[in-house]
Amino acid sequence: MLVLGIESSCDETGLALYDTARGLLAHAVHTQVAMHADYGGVVPELASRDHIRRLIPLLESVLTQADVVKTGIDAIAYTAGPGLAGALLVGASFAEALAVALGVPALPVHHLEGHLLSPLLAADPPEFPFIALLVSGGHTQLMHVAGVGRYELLGESVDDAAGEAFDKTAKLLGLGYPGGPALAALAEQGRAGRYRLPRPMLHSGDLAFSFSGLKTAALTVVRNNELSATDKADLAAEFQEAVTEVLAAKSVSACRQRRLLALVVAGGVGANRRLRQRLDAEMAQLGGRVFYPEFELCTDNGAMIAFCGAQRLLQGAVPAGRDGAFAIRPRWPLDQFS
Ligand code: KG4
Ligand code: ZN
């Protein structure tokens, strides 16, 4: 079964072709980073318009890469939420229209489920059950994953997501959008420990997170000091230490509590090198292992959506009827995740 995946929930347009027998055949992503950079963040209307421009060329590109024709597509999976309403609508209407034209089913996919399953696309995938740390721009969650569609939320951020905290703190330090990678790069030049930032909820005894206080603590340092370039790098390093220490500690706790030795990390912050170092070291101490998606599949992409849709269809998911009606879910609640 050949599944076309379409991702357009935020500032990346991603398309991919996944074949249930042959694996990932092609994927292509267009990132809008350069377009939004002038505004310091994602402008939703510009995002939607750009998705419209990119979808057809990207479709052509994956078909060429995979050396298949449109009529070879058996099903279409698309991100139906959560995300920006306009951006989701573009991908959803494109997917649904193409599905009608080709006479194939279209399946709405939860963006976070896509991230969650993305490490299964790696050369050496984990086996169920595992603990998943989902760290994207909008979510920070620990899940117990027993199988496709069998997810139990163990803990999440009570306020800002880790990625959001990275982005906001980057802004405070005068770094551009997207802030996370920029802050991480600056942190590599700095020395942690010179400034002392809190480790929020490190000892809370549960698996919840909180990152908005950390951002405020960084703001206080910025306000009260005239920071040199070196000072900024040191503050960035300390911030990264604080976030990654809490993420790693709670991920390991989740594994201990559930007596599992496999930890999966997904979402954009999963690209953070310091986070990976810490998780690898701490899970090794436990006798366990960390599984990551292929590097290029850490951030938003169509491959994870195609793969997730394929797994769902293999499980017997029934796409909605072909009456032309569909819905996007910008705030898709987690309890309806499975
Ligand atoms: O999963 P993703 O691509 O999009 C969402 O679904 O949100 O995650 C984007 C988030 C942003 O907040 C970005 O700043 C963060 O991931 N990010 C990073 C790094 N690369 C991306 N944060 C820290 N270090 C990185 N290297
Ligand atoms: Zn994402």
Side-chain angles (χ1 to χ4, degrees):
M1 178 174 53
L2 182 64
V3 182
L4 170 69
I6 299 176
E7 155 64 31
S8 73
S9 64
C10 188
D11 54 353
E12 261 104 25
T13 324
L15 272 80
L17 286 165
Y18 177 82
D19 186 276
T20 47
R22 294 158 65 204
L24 185 64
L25 301 186
H27 94 101
V29 177
H30 173 79
T31 176
Q32 304 176 351
V33 162
M35 187 183 75
H36 297 297
D38 291 346
Y39 305 92
V42 178
V43 183
E45 181 60 22
L46 291 182
S48 312
R49 289 172 189 228
D50 199 61
H51 287 306
I52 296 173
R53 275 195 291 273
R54 306 293 170 185
L55 281 165
I56 291 176
L58 286 172
L59 174 62
E60 301 294 346
S61 162
V62 291
L63 289 169
T64 307
Q65 271 181 54
D67 195 19
V68 295
V69 288
K70 272 199 275 289
T71 47
I73 296 169
D74 298 306
I76 301 176
Y78 64 92
T79 304
L84 301 171
L88 290 168
L89 259 182
V90 173
S93 34
F94 180 78
E96 292 281 353
L98 186 60
V100 170
L102 296 175
V104 300
L107 191 73
V109 165
H110 195 297
H111 180 80
L112 291 180
E113 185 177 21
H115 276 302
L116 196 65
L117 299 181
S118 62
L120 298 177
L121 273 168
D124 177 20
E127 282 176 19
F128 298 115
F130 53 75
I131 298 295
L133 172 67
L134 255 176
V135 269
S136 69
H139 295 82
T140 300
Q141 297 172 333
L142 276 164
M143 304 263 204
H144 179 271
V145 181
V148 174
R150 296 170 62 199
Y151 315 123
E152 181 191 345
L153 181 64
L154 303 176
E156 66 183 329
S157 177
V158 297
D159 42 52
D160 290 357
E164 193 177 352
F166 261 94
D167 293 336
K168 288 179 175 170
T169 305
K171 214 168 206 174
L172 289 179
L173 291 173
L175 305 172
Y177 147 92
L183 193 141
L186 183 61
E188 300 226 333
Q189 298 160 29
R191 192 160 44 94
R194 227 189 96 211
Y195 297 101
R196 252 332 259 178
L197 295 178
R199 271 42 174 177
M201 298 185 84
L202 184 60
H203 302 296
S204 62
D206 59 18
L207 298 173
F209 301 92
S210 164
F211 293 109
S212 78
L214 193 49
K215 171 202 65 199
T216 310
L219 176 65
T220 307
V221 175
V222 172
R223 282 218 177 120
N224 296 344
N225 301 276
E226 191 69 47
L227 297 184
S228 68
T230 313
D231 297 338
K232 283 185 181 176
D234 290 346
L235 182 57
E238 174 66 9
F239 173 84
Q240 179 172 262
E241 279 308 288
V243 174
T244 56
E245 184 176 338
V246 179
L247 289 175
K250 300 237 170 178
S251 302
V252 171
S253 286
C255 289
R256 277 186 201 282
Q257 283 175 26
R258 292 305 181 101
R259 297 179 195 284
L260 289 175
L261 294 176
L263 173 70
V264 153
V265 180
V269 185
N272 186 275
R273 230 182 297 179
R274 182 68 182 126
L275 177 64
R276 289 184 172 214
Q277 276 174 357
R278 277 184 178 279
L279 289 173
D280 289 342
E282 294 185 29
M283 283 303 289
Q285 261 183 5
L286 199 69
R289 205 189 131 181
V290 192
F291 295 83
Y292 303 96
E294 301 291 349
F295 208 74
E296 64 192 88
L297 301 185
C298 277
T299 44
D300 292 347
N301 64 84
M304 66 185 193
I305 303 304
F307 179 75
C308 180
Q311 301 311 307
R312 288 293 191 158
L313 289 165
L314 285 176
Q315 272 193 343
V318 184
R322 286 265 63 87
D323 57 358
F326 64 92
I328 52 148
R329 310 184 66 177
R331 295 187 180 276
W332 200 336
L334 265 168
D335 54 2
Q336 291 163 31
F337 196 64
S338 311

